[in-house]
Amino acid sequence: MEKESREFQVFVKPVGALCNLRCRYCYYLDKKNLRLPEEPLIMNEDILEKYIVQHIEATTDETIFFSWHGGEPLMAGIDFFRKVVTLQNKHKPSGVEILNGVQTNGTLIDNKWGWFFAENNFLVGISIDGPGEMHNRFRTTSDGRSSLHEVLRGYEILTRYRIKSEILCVVNSYNVRFPLIIYNFFKELGAGYITFLPLVERRHGAKSGVSRATVPSLEFGRFLISVFDEWIERDIGEIKIQIFEEAARTAFNQEHTLCIFRENCGGVPVVERNGDFYSCDHFVNNDYLIGNIKNGSVADFLDGEKQKVFGHAKSLTLPRYCIECEVKAMCNGECPKNRFIATPDGESGLNYLCSGYKAFFNHCRPFVEAVAAVSGKQV
């Protein structure tokens, strides 16, 4: 019997929140308290093998994708990832392809890692927030030193070994003012794939309800517009920028690949180093603990009622202001973690980034509609 299709991407945390940097905006560092004193710092081999087997069994596609996150996942050590590849090959069904992606701050990458990534066809996401102070203001080492030099050294190794990589740039209240400086810096690095991730930190004691590092919504929209116009003029077809790709998917009536823009979520859970399975990377707490893979399975947790309720709450709680929005298909209310302001008519649950996203998506609509007209689709 053919398996029912199941789309998911698990963020595996082999070292939990352990990290060699102390980025001021990191939302995962405090998750180090999840580890009990008797638990190891690194995911043990029994849990690792159990997870790999369950992930393979849960996947219905012919490509099986593993996504390693942190903290800083490279702190697990290269031998851990050699073990990953060995176990994947041990349990790999015939006729399928296994791919691995790792999200790293880049500072630990050396030639050994470069050789390993290249030999095993890893995809590497590396976090860079721009040149100079744009990166170093928030991304520092544990003793407060700047990290950009070490990051760029790691990125150079990825380039030298021809490893497919993606730059992830967190857009905050400081670097949002320099969209083209940042974009041109990434182009100079030879970036082929770029993701811009808006920083939103809730601070209940703050006057605005968010931290000073949080990117202002409209400024984020203007940042995207500036980069989009430059990209359209000079780089379309040469550089892939995730949010532009997501907007263009609506021209073909395609489902979003990025969870924050999907109508419902729940397909990007977390497996912590002790095997605990949580609903989402931004909801790693007891309220969203689904179970442990030692006592259940990835497939059962993904298909379970608790995870489905979590996922469908995204569309069920969407304010009418969003439902009636002309760019709803591009946004779908974005991530539920950012829905904490009120709509113009007072309804709760509007996304903090609404004004910025609305400005950007309306700006790029003529382009998307032109693409749709060429393809014969209707946006």
Side-chain angles (χ1 to χ4, degrees), residues 172-214:
N172 53 66
S173 61
Y174 178 68
N175 66 359
V176 72
R177 293 177 282 173
F178 311 101
L180 296 187
I181 291 176
I182 291 173
Y183 181 51
N184 287 325
F185 176 66
F186 293 159
K187 288 202 291 182
E188 289 170 7
L189 292 177
Y193 301 85
I194 303 170
T195 289
F196 293 112
L197 180 67
L199 175 63
V200 180
E201 292 181 313
R202 293 196 69 179
R203 291 287 186 271
H204 295 289
K207 186 175 181 180
S208 64
V210 296
S211 72
R212 286 190 293 179
T214 293

CSV table of all heavy atoms in Angstrom, one decimal, residues 172-214:
chain,number,residue,atom,x,y,z
A,172,ASN,N,17.6,43.2,12.2
A,172,ASN,CA,17.3,43.8,13.4
A,172,ASN,C,17.2,45.3,13.3
A,172,ASN,O,17.2,45.9,12.2
A,172,ASN,CB,18.4,43.4,14.5
A,172,ASN,CG,19.8,43.8,14.0
A,172,ASN,OD1,20.1,44.9,13.9
A,172,ASN,ND2,20.6,42.7,13.8
A,173,SER,N,17.0,46.0,14.5
A,173,SER,CA,16.8,47.4,14.5
A,173,SER,C,18.0,48.2,14.0
A,173,SER,O,17.8,49.4,13.6
A,173,SER,CB,16.4,47.9,15.9
A,173,SER,OG,17.4,47.6,16.8
A,174,TYR,N,19.2,47.6,14.0
A,174,TYR,CA,20.4,48.3,13.5
A,174,TYR,C,20.6,48.1,12.0
A,174,TYR,O,20.7,49.1,11.2
A,174,TYR,CB,21.6,47.9,14.4
A,174,TYR,CG,22.9,48.6,13.9
A,174,TYR,CD1,23.0,50.0,14.1
A,174,TYR,CD2,23.9,47.9,13.3
A,174,TYR,CE1,24.2,50.6,13.7
A,174,TYR,CE2,25.1,48.5,12.9
A,174,TYR,CZ,25.2,49.9,13.1
A,174,TYR,OH,26.4,50.5,12.7
A,175,ASN,N,20.8,46.9,11.7
A,175,ASN,CA,21.2,46.6,10.3
A,175,ASN,C,20.1,46.8,9.3
A,175,ASN,O,20.3,46.9,8.0
A,175,ASN,CB,21.9,45.2,10.1
A,175,ASN,CG,20.9,44.1,10.3
A,175,ASN,OD1,19.7,44.3,10.6
A,175,ASN,ND2,21.4,42.9,10.2
A,176,VAL,N,18.9,47.0,9.7
A,176,VAL,CA,17.7,47.2,8.8
A,176,VAL,C,17.9,48.5,8.0
A,176,VAL,O,17.4,48.7,7.0
A,176,VAL,CB,16.4,47.3,9.6
A,176,VAL,CG1,16.3,48.5,10.4
A,176,VAL,CG2,15.2,47.1,8.6
A,177,ARG,N,18.8,49.4,8.5
A,177,ARG,CA,19.0,50.7,7.9
A,177,ARG,C,20.0,50.6,6.7
A,177,ARG,O,20.1,51.6,6.0
A,177,ARG,CB,19.6,51.7,8.9
A,177,ARG,CG,18.6,52.1,10.0
A,177,ARG,CD,19.3,53.0,11.1
A,177,ARG,NE,20.1,52.2,12.0
A,177,ARG,CZ,20.9,52.8,12.9
A,177,ARG,NH1,20.9,54.1,13.0
A,177,ARG,NH2,21.7,52.1,13.7
A,178,PHE,N,20.5,49.4,6.5
A,178,PHE,CA,21.6,49.3,5.4
A,178,PHE,C,21.3,48.2,4.5
A,178,PHE,O,22.1,47.3,4.3
A,178,PHE,CB,22.9,49.1,6.1
A,178,PHE,CG,23.2,50.1,7.2
A,178,PHE,CD1,23.1,49.7,8.5
A,178,PHE,CD2,23.7,51.4,6.9
A,178,PHE,CE1,23.4,50.6,9.5
A,178,PHE,CE2,24.0,52.3,7.9
A,178,PHE,CZ,23.8,51.9,9.2
A,179,PRO,N,20.1,48.2,3.8
A,179,PRO,CA,19.7,47.0,3.0
A,179,PRO,C,20.7,46.7,1.9
A,179,PRO,O,21.1,45.6,1.6
A,179,PRO,CB,18.3,47.4,2.5
A,179,PRO,CG,18.2,48.8,2.6
A,179,PRO,CD,19.0,49.2,3.8
A,180,LEU,N,21.1,47.8,1.1
A,180,LEU,CA,21.9,47.5,-0.1
A,180,LEU,C,23.4,47.3,0.3
A,180,LEU,O,24.1,46.6,-0.4
A,180,LEU,CB,21.8,48.7,-1.1
A,180,LEU,CG,20.4,48.8,-1.7
A,180,LEU,CD1,20.4,49.9,-2.8
A,180,LEU,CD2,19.9,47.5,-2.2
A,181,ILE,N,23.8,47.9,1.4
A,181,ILE,CA,25.2,47.6,1.9
A,181,ILE,C,25.3,46.1,2.2
A,181,ILE,O,26.2,45.4,1.9
A,181,ILE,CB,25.6,48.5,3.1
A,181,ILE,CG1,25.7,49.9,2.6
A,181,ILE,CG2,26.9,48.0,3.7
A,181,ILE,CD1,26.0,50.9,3.8
A,182,ILE,N,24.3,45.6,2.9
A,182,ILE,CA,24.3,44.2,3.3
A,182,ILE,C,24.1,43.3,2.1
A,182,ILE,O,24.9,42.3,1.9
A,182,ILE,CB,23.1,43.9,4.3
A,182,ILE,CG1,23.4,44.6,5.6
A,182,ILE,CG2,22.8,42.4,4.5
A,182,ILE,CD1,22.2,44.5,6.6
A,183,TYR,N,23.2,43.6,1.2
A,183,TYR,CA,23.0,42.8,0.0
A,183,TYR,C,24.2,42.8,-0.9
A,183,TYR,O,24.7,41.7,-1.3
A,183,TYR,CB,21.8,43.3,-0.8
A,183,TYR,CG,21.4,42.5,-2.0
A,183,TYR,CD1,21.3,41.1,-1.9
A,183,TYR,CD2,21.3,43.1,-3.2
A,183,TYR,CE1,21.0,40.4,-3.1
A,183,TYR,CE2,21.0,42.4,-4.4
A,183,TYR,CZ,20.8,41.0,-4.3
A,183,TYR,OH,20.5,40.3,-5.4
A,184,ASN,N,24.9,43.9,-1.1
A,184,ASN,CA,26.1,43.9,-1.9
A,184,ASN,C,27.2,43.2,-1.2
A,184,ASN,O,28.1,42.6,-1.9
A,184,ASN,CB,26.4,45.4,-2.2
A,184,ASN,CG,25.5,46.0,-3.2
A,184,ASN,OD1,25.0,45.3,-4.2
A,184,ASN,ND2,25.2,47.3,-3.1
A,185,PHE,N,27.3,43.2,0.1
A,185,PHE,CA,28.3,42.5,0.8
A,185,PHE,C,28.1,41.0,0.6
A,185,PHE,O,29.1,40.3,0.3
A,185,PHE,CB,28.2,42.8,2.3
A,185,PHE,CG,29.1,42.0,3.2
A,185,PHE,CD1,30.5,42.2,3.1
A,185,PHE,CD2,28.6,41.1,4.1
A,185,PHE,CE1,31.3,41.4,3.9
A,185,PHE,CE2,29.4,40.4,4.9
A,185,PHE,CZ,30.8,40.6,4.9
A,186,PHE,N,26.9,40.5,0.6
A,186,PHE,CA,26.6,39.1,0.3
A,186,PHE,C,27.0,38.8,-1.1
A,186,PHE,O,27.5,37.7,-1.4
A,186,PHE,CB,25.2,38.8,0.6
A,186,PHE,CG,24.8,38.9,2.1
A,186,PHE,CD1,23.5,39.0,2.5
A,186,PHE,CD2,25.8,38.8,3.1
A,186,PHE,CE1,23.1,39.1,3.9
A,186,PHE,CE2,25.5,38.8,4.4
A,186,PHE,CZ,24.1,39.0,4.8
A,187,LYS,N,26.7,39.7,-2.0
A,187,LYS,CA,27.0,39.4,-3.4
A,187,LYS,C,28.5,39.3,-3.6
A,187,LYS,O,29.0,38.4,-4.3
A,187,LYS,CB,26.4,40.5,-4.3
A,187,LYS,CG,24.9,40.4,-4.5
A,187,LYS,CD,24.5,41.1,-5.8
A,187,LYS,CE,24.6,42.6,-5.7
A,187,LYS,NZ,24.1,43.3,-6.9
A,188,GLU,N,29.3,40.2,-2.9
A,188,GLU,CA,30.7,40.1,-3.0
A,188,GLU,C,31.3,38.8,-2.4
A,188,GLU,O,32.3,38.3,-2.9
A,188,GLU,CB,31.3,41.3,-2.2
A,188,GLU,CG,31.1,42.6,-2.9
A,188,GLU,CD,31.5,43.8,-2.0
A,188,GLU,OE1,32.1,43.5,-0.9
A,188,GLU,OE2,31.2,45.0,-2.4
A,189,LEU,N,30.5,38.2,-1.5
A,189,LEU,CA,30.9,36.9,-0.9
A,189,LEU,C,30.6,35.8,-1.9
A,189,LEU,O,31.0,34.6,-1.7
A,189,LEU,CB,30.2,36.7,0.4
A,189,LEU,CG,30.6,37.5,1.6
A,189,LEU,CD1,29.8,37.2,2.8
A,189,LEU,CD2,32.1,37.4,1.9
A,190,GLY,N,29.9,36.1,-3.0
A,190,GLY,CA,29.5,35.0,-3.9
A,190,GLY,C,28.2,34.3,-3.5
A,190,GLY,O,28.0,33.1,-4.0
A,191,ALA,N,27.4,34.9,-2.6
A,191,ALA,CA,26.2,34.2,-2.2
A,191,ALA,C,25.3,33.8,-3.3
A,191,ALA,O,25.0,34.6,-4.1
A,191,ALA,CB,25.5,35.0,-1.1
A,192,GLY,N,24.8,32.6,-3.3
A,192,GLY,CA,23.8,32.2,-4.3
A,192,GLY,C,22.4,32.0,-3.6
A,192,GLY,O,21.4,32.1,-4.4
A,193,TYR,N,22.3,31.9,-2.3
A,193,TYR,CA,21.1,31.7,-1.6
A,193,TYR,C,21.1,32.6,-0.3
A,193,TYR,O,22.1,32.5,0.5
A,193,TYR,CB,20.9,30.2,-1.2
A,193,TYR,CG,20.8,29.3,-2.3
A,193,TYR,CD1,22.0,28.8,-2.9
A,193,TYR,CD2,19.6,28.9,-2.9
A,193,TYR,CE1,22.0,27.9,-3.9
A,193,TYR,CE2,19.6,28.0,-4.0
A,193,TYR,CZ,20.8,27.5,-4.5
A,193,TYR,OH,20.8,26.7,-5.5
A,194,ILE,N,20.1,33.4,-0.1
A,194,ILE,CA,20.0,34.3,1.0
A,194,ILE,C,18.6,34.2,1.6
A,194,ILE,O,17.6,34.2,0.9
A,194,ILE,CB,20.3,35.7,0.6
A,194,ILE,CG1,21.6,35.9,-0.1
A,194,ILE,CG2,20.2,36.7,1.8
A,194,ILE,CD1,21.8,37.2,-0.8
A,195,THR,N,18.6,34.2,3.0
A,195,THR,CA,17.4,34.3,3.7
A,195,THR,C,17.5,35.5,4.7
A,195,THR,O,18.5,35.6,5.4
A,195,THR,CB,17.1,33.0,4.5
A,195,THR,OG1,16.7,32.0,3.7
A,195,THR,CG2,16.0,33.2,5.5
A,196,PHE,N,16.5,36.3,4.6
A,196,PHE,CA,16.4,37.5,5.6
A,196,PHE,C,15.3,37.1,6.6
A,196,PHE,O,14.2,36.9,6.3
A,196,PHE,CB,16.0,38.7,4.9
A,196,PHE,CG,17.1,39.2,3.9
A,196,PHE,CD1,16.8,39.2,2.5
A,196,PHE,CD2,18.3,39.7,4.4
A,196,PHE,CE1,17.8,39.7,1.7
A,196,PHE,CE2,19.3,40.2,3.5
A,196,PHE,CZ,19.0,40.1,2.2
A,197,LEU,N,15.8,37.0,7.9
A,197,LEU,CA,14.9,36.6,9.0
A,197,LEU,C,14.7,37.8,9.9
A,197,LEU,O,15.7,38.3,10.5
A,197,LEU,CB,15.6,35.5,9.8
A,197,LEU,CG,14.8,34.9,11.0
A,197,LEU,CD1,13.6,34.2,10.5
A,197,LEU,CD2,15.7,34.0,11.8
A,198,PRO,N,13.5,38.3,10.0
A,198,PRO,CA,13.2,39.5,10.9
A,198,PRO,C,13.3,39.1,12.4
A,198,PRO,O,12.8,38.1,12.8
A,198,PRO,CB,11.8,39.9,10.5
A,198,PRO,CG,11.2,38.7,10.0
A,198,PRO,CD,12.3,37.9,9.4
A,199,LEU,N,14.0,40.0,13.1
A,199,LEU,CA,14.1,39.8,14.6
A,199,LEU,C,12.9,40.4,15.3
A,199,LEU,O,12.6,41.6,15.2
A,199,LEU,CB,15.4,40.4,15.1
A,199,LEU,CG,15.5,40.3,16.6
A,199,LEU,CD1,15.6,38.9,17.1
A,199,LEU,CD2,16.8,41.1,17.1
A,200,VAL,N,12.2,39.5,16.0
A,200,VAL,CA,11.0,40.0,16.8
A,200,VAL,C,11.2,39.4,18.2
A,200,VAL,O,11.1,38.2,18.4
A,200,VAL,CB,9.7,39.6,16.2
A,200,VAL,CG1,8.5,40.1,17.1
A,200,VAL,CG2,9.5,40.2,14.8
A,201,GLU,N,11.5,40.3,19.2
A,201,GLU,CA,11.6,39.8,20.6
A,201,GLU,C,10.6,40.5,21.4
A,201,GLU,O,10.5,41.7,21.5
A,201,GLU,CB,13.0,40.2,21.1
A,201,GLU,CG,14.2,39.5,20.5
A,201,GLU,CD,15.5,39.9,21.2
A,201,GLU,OE1,15.7,41.2,21.3
A,201,GLU,OE2,16.3,39.1,21.5
A,202,ARG,N,9.7,39.7,22.1
A,202,ARG,CA,8.7,40.3,22.9
A,202,ARG,C,9.3,40.7,24.3
A,202,ARG,O,10.1,39.9,24.9
A,202,ARG,CB,7.6,39.3,23.2
A,202,ARG,CG,6.8,39.1,21.9
A,202,ARG,CD,5.5,38.4,22.2
A,202,ARG,NE,4.6,39.3,22.9
A,202,ARG,CZ,3.3,39.0,23.3
A,202,ARG,NH1,2.8,37.8,23.0
A,202,ARG,NH2,2.5,39.9,23.9
A,203,ARG,N,9.0,41.9,24.7
A,203,ARG,CA,9.5,42.3,26.1
A,203,ARG,C,8.3,43.0,26.7
A,203,ARG,O,7.9,44.1,26.4
A,203,ARG,CB,10.6,43.4,25.9
A,203,ARG,CG,11.9,42.8,25.4
A,203,ARG,CD,12.6,42.0,26.5
A,203,ARG,NE,13.9,41.5,26.1
A,203,ARG,CZ,14.2,40.4,25.4
A,203,ARG,NH1,13.2,39.6,25.1
A,203,ARG,NH2,15.4,40.1,25.1
A,204,HIS,N,7.7,42.2,27.7
A,204,HIS,CA,6.4,42.7,28.2
A,204,HIS,C,6.6,44.0,29.1
A,204,HIS,O,5.6,44.7,29.2
A,204,HIS,CB,5.8,41.6,29.1
A,204,HIS,CG,5.4,40.4,28.3
A,204,HIS,ND1,4.3,40.3,27.5
A,204,HIS,CD2,6.0,39.1,28.2
A,204,HIS,CE1,4.2,39.2,26.9
A,204,HIS,NE2,5.2,38.4,27.3
A,205,GLY,N,7.8,44.2,29.5
A,205,GLY,CA,8.0,45.4,30.3
A,205,GLY,C,8.3,46.6,29.4
A,205,GLY,O,8.3,47.8,29.9
A,206,ALA,N,8.6,46.4,28.2
A,206,ALA,CA,8.9,47.5,27.3
A,206,ALA,C,7.7,48.3,26.9
A,206,ALA,O,6.6,47.7,26.8
A,206,ALA,CB,9.6,47.0,26.0
A,207,LYS,N,7.9,49.6,26.6
A,207,LYS,CA,6.8,50.4,26.2
A,207,LYS,C,6.0,49.9,25.0
A,207,LYS,O,4.8,50.0,24.9
A,207,LYS,CB,7.3,51.9,26.0
A,207,LYS,CG,6.2,52.9,25.8
A,207,LYS,CD,6.8,54.3,25.7
A,207,LYS,CE,5.7,55.3,25.5
A,207,LYS,NZ,6.3,56.7,25.4
A,208,SER,N,6.8,49.5,24.0
A,208,SER,CA,6.2,49.0,22.7
A,208,SER,C,5.9,47.5,22.8
A,208,SER,O,5.3,47.0,21.8
A,208,SER,CB,7.2,49.3,21.6
A,208,SER,OG,8.3,48.5,21.7
A,209,GLY,N,6.3,46.9,23.8
A,209,GLY,CA,6.0,45.4,23.9
A,209,GLY,C,7.1,44.6,23.2
A,209,GLY,O,7.1,43.4,23.3
A,210,VAL,N,8.1,45.2,22.6
A,210,VAL,CA,9.2,44.5,22.0
A,210,VAL,C,10.5,45.1,22.4
A,210,VAL,O,10.6,46.2,22.9
A,210,VAL,CB,9.1,44.5,20.4
A,210,VAL,CG1,7.9,43.8,19.9
A,210,VAL,CG2,9.2,46.0,19.9
A,211,SER,N,11.6,44.3,22.2
A,211,SER,CA,12.9,44.8,22.6
A,211,SER,C,13.4,45.9,21.7
A,211,SER,O,12.9,46.1,20.6
A,211,SER,CB,13.9,43.7,22.6
A,211,SER,OG,14.2,43.3,21.3
A,212,ARG,N,14.5,46.6,22.1
A,212,ARG,CA,15.0,47.7,21.3
A,212,ARG,C,15.8,47.1,20.1
A,212,ARG,O,16.0,47.7,19.1
A,212,ARG,CB,16.0,48.5,22.1
A,212,ARG,CG,15.3,49.5,23.0
A,212,ARG,CD,16.3,50.5,23.6
A,212,ARG,NE,17.2,49.8,24.5
A,212,ARG,CZ,18.2,50.5,25.2
A,212,ARG,NH1,18.3,51.8,25.0
A,212,ARG,NH2,19.0,49.8,25.9
A,213,ALA,N,16.1,45.8,20.2
A,213,ALA,CA,16.8,45.1,19.0
A,213,ALA,C,15.8,44.7,18.0
A,213,ALA,O,16.2,44.4,16.8
A,213,ALA,CB,17.6,43.9,19.5
A,214,THR,N,14.5,44.6,18.3
A,214,THR,CA,13.5,44.2,17.4
A,214,THR,C,13.4,45.1,16.2
A,214,THR,O,13.5,46.3,16.3
A,214,THR,CB,12.1,44.1,18.1
A,214,THR,OG1,12.2,43.1,19.0
A,214,THR,CG2,11.0,43.8,17.1
